[in-house]
Amino acid sequence: MMNVPFYSLDYVNRTLGDALRESFSDVLDSKWFIRGSRCAAFEEAFAAYCGKKACVGVGNGLDALTLMLKASIQLGCLQPGDEVIVPANTFVATVLAVRAAGLVPVLVEPNRDTCVLDTSRMAEACSEKTRAILVVHLYGRLADMPAICEFAKAHNLLVFEDAAQAHGAALDKNKLSSLVSRLSSNAAAYSFYPTKNLGAMGDGGAVVTDDLELAQVVKSLGNYGSVEKYVNKYVGVNSRLDEVQAAVLLAKLPHLDSWNARRQEIAGRYCAEIRNPLVRVTPVPANPKSHAWHVFPIFCETRDELQSFLKERGVETLIHYPIPPHQQEAFDGALSRGELRYGPLPIAEELARTELSIPMGPAMTDEQVTYVIESINAFA
């Protein structure tokens, strides 16, 4: 029997240990810990990596989502009470951010095969109050951004991206959704939670955009609403990427593409070699290398039995996510109060009931990948 962890940070620490220790030491010696030179350097580097004009580091991914939307309200692009289309099978943070910004999430079913927003359902989800689409690249798999952006353009909607799981995903030569300059989202929000493809050693997040005005408002909102010290233009919060996390991210960023390439190799094997009639695997995308493969999901009607079977064989798994947002206690009564809008969501509920995430990450060996595949295929 072989032990296969779901994800191991040891590989990153071994690979970059000296560089990370040097980063910590440099920050300690600098005596500057908030919004200093390392944060500025990371923002510049990550904006360039994403092919965007601006990046603003914030405290975490949820704040990135919330501040991105709040900044759009401050600029008059959105108004409190406007509706935002959100895929129904996302992590709860996506919905929390829309609510925190004073907007109304409209939950739309995902595509059952790809698990991302079903673009064929957007038209029926729109009302006279719909003003934006918040796309989620769930599991690191890119949503159909050309179709989404074309729909948004035709219906005069803004497009935002929850890219918390999509570091390094690329539709074209730039990262994420940009199609040169013809079609693009207004902004994308990232999380740098430690287990992300690009993870810090604590919490962190960022908003990436070509809209320099939006970036400036996000930065101000995350610094108590201040445009200069002791001058507060907005009602803001305290959400800033600290120097330690920025230094860690700077050390890791040059390795992101190679780490993602290994994830893509593993995903290719999973797609091709998992062959069990009880297990459903998402189809191979047209361009597998465009996806970040943060998580590799499989689906099984007897999911709990499969998880127990794999645990007995030493294969660690997780569930993303067992309770969809509309069934969370936090949103009890939200539908009747008009704080959330949705219809029947059988696909989102099916995915929550059957999803199982199997080991994925650059630390995996070929032998471990083979063992995971063999173990899944052995389940009966």
Side-chain angles (χ1 to χ4, degrees):
M1 188 176 75
M2 181 183 295
N3 289 319
V4 185
F6 179 75
Y7 177 74
S8 175
L9 286 171
D10 289 344
Y11 172 81
V12 174
N13 294 339
R14 289 197 310 270
T15 304
L16 301 179
D18 290 342
L20 294 176
R21 280 186 283 273
E22 184 178 346
S23 297
F24 287 134
S25 180
D26 287 347
V27 173
L28 183 63
D29 292 342
S30 76
K31 302 179 181 64
W32 192 292
F33 304 106
I34 300 291
R35 280 196 173 171
S37 61
R38 289 154 192 82
C39 183
F42 173 71
E43 289 173 335
E44 181 179 357
F46 196 59
Y49 176 82
C50 295
K52 296 294 184 180
K53 295 179 181 178
C55 167
V56 180
V58 298
N60 54 69
L62 175 57
D63 285 355
L65 288 164
T66 305
L67 295 176
M68 174 176 69
L69 296 172
K70 284 187 173 182
S72 299
I73 291 174
Q74 291 291 347
L75 291 171
C77 302
L78 294 172
Q79 300 295 326
D82 284 348
E83 292 181 349
V84 180
I85 289 175
V86 178
N89 61 323
T90 185
F91 179 54
V92 71
T94 317
V95 179
L96 290 174
V98 177
R99 289 283 304 277
L103 304 166
V104 178
V106 179
L107 303 182
V108 177
E109 286 272 59
N111 180 293
R112 183 176 180 271
D113 291 330
T114 63
C115 303
V116 293
L117 182 65
D118 187 342
T119 57
S120 69
R121 298 175 183 267
M122 292 190 298
E124 65 186 34
C126 284
S127 77
E128 68 280 357
K129 296 181 179 180
T130 307
R131 296 290 181 271
I133 304 169
L134 178 51
V135 184
V136 181
H137 303 300
L138 194 67
Y139 310 137
R141 185 173 186 130
L142 286 177
D144 187 353
M145 291 305 295
I148 290 167
C149 290
E150 290 284 12
F151 179 88
K153 183 178 179 182
H155 292 79
N156 197 29
L157 304 177
L158 301 177
V159 177
F160 301 98
E161 294 172 87
D162 180 341
Q165 300 181 357
H167 311 73
L171 189 61
D172 59 12
K173 65 180 181 180
N174 292 323
K175 304 302 177 182
L176 270 184
S177 71
S178 69
L179 288 169
V180 191
S181 60
R182 186 172 61 87
L183 294 174
S184 182
S185 67
N186 294 79
Y190 286 87
S191 164
F192 301 123
Y193 186 76
T195 57
K196 301 296 187 184
N197 294 33
L198 180 64
M201 290 192 169
D203 270 324
V207 175
V208 176
T209 182
D210 279 331
D211 187 334
L212 298 182
E213 189 175 15
L214 178 71
Q216 184 57 54
V217 177
V218 168
K219 187 172 184 177
S220 296
L221 286 172
N223 191 35
Y224 303 100
S226 175
V227 293
E228 59 181 287
K229 194 169 185 177
Y230 303 130
V231 179
N232 301 82
K233 184 175 181 179
Y234 311 108
V235 177
V237 297
N238 177 7
S239 182
R240 301 171 296 199
L241 183 66
D242 70 64
E243 287 290 277
V244 170
Q245 307 311 331
V248 168
L249 293 168
L250 268 173
K252 289 184 174 184
L253 182 58
H255 302 270
L256 178 57
D257 284 344
S258 64
W259 291 340
N260 281 350
R262 177 56 180 160
R263 289 175 181 270
Q264 290 157 359
E265 290 176 3
I266 296 167
R269 287 198 60 191
Y270 282 160
C271 288
E273 298 176 39
I274 293 176
R275 291 290 180 266
N276 185 324
L278 299 177
V279 176
R280 182 171 66 85
V281 178
T282 56
V284 180
N287 181 7
K289 292 185 177 181
S290 67
H291 304 281
W293 301 109
H294 172 62
V295 166
F296 193 94
I298 59 176
F299 302 89
C300 180
E301 286 293 336
T302 52
R303 186 260 313 279
D304 295 345
E305 289 85 348
L306 174 58
Q307 186 173 40
S308 296
F309 175 80
L310 293 175
K311 182 178 180 180
E312 291 173 358
R313 292 176 64 97
V315 177
E316 184 181 8
T317 60
L318 293 177
I319 298 171
H320 296 89
Y321 302 96
I323 305 174
H326 69 285
Q327 294 182 335
Q328 296 285 355
E329 184 180 353
F331 300 126
D332 283 353
L335 183 64
S336 61
R337 294 192 300 268
E339 298 168 355
L340 197 62
R341 184 163 71 81
Y342 59 90
L345 297 170
I347 296 175
E349 292 170 10
E350 176 196 344
L351 295 179
R353 187 182 72 253
T354 61
E355 193 273 347
L356 187 66
S357 301
I358 60 177
M360 169 59 74
M364 289 188 73
T365 65
D366 289 341
E367 292 75 18
Q368 286 177 321
V369 176
T370 297
Y371 184 73
V372 171
I373 293 168
E374 291 175 346
S375 296
I376 293 171
N377 288 343
F379 175 70

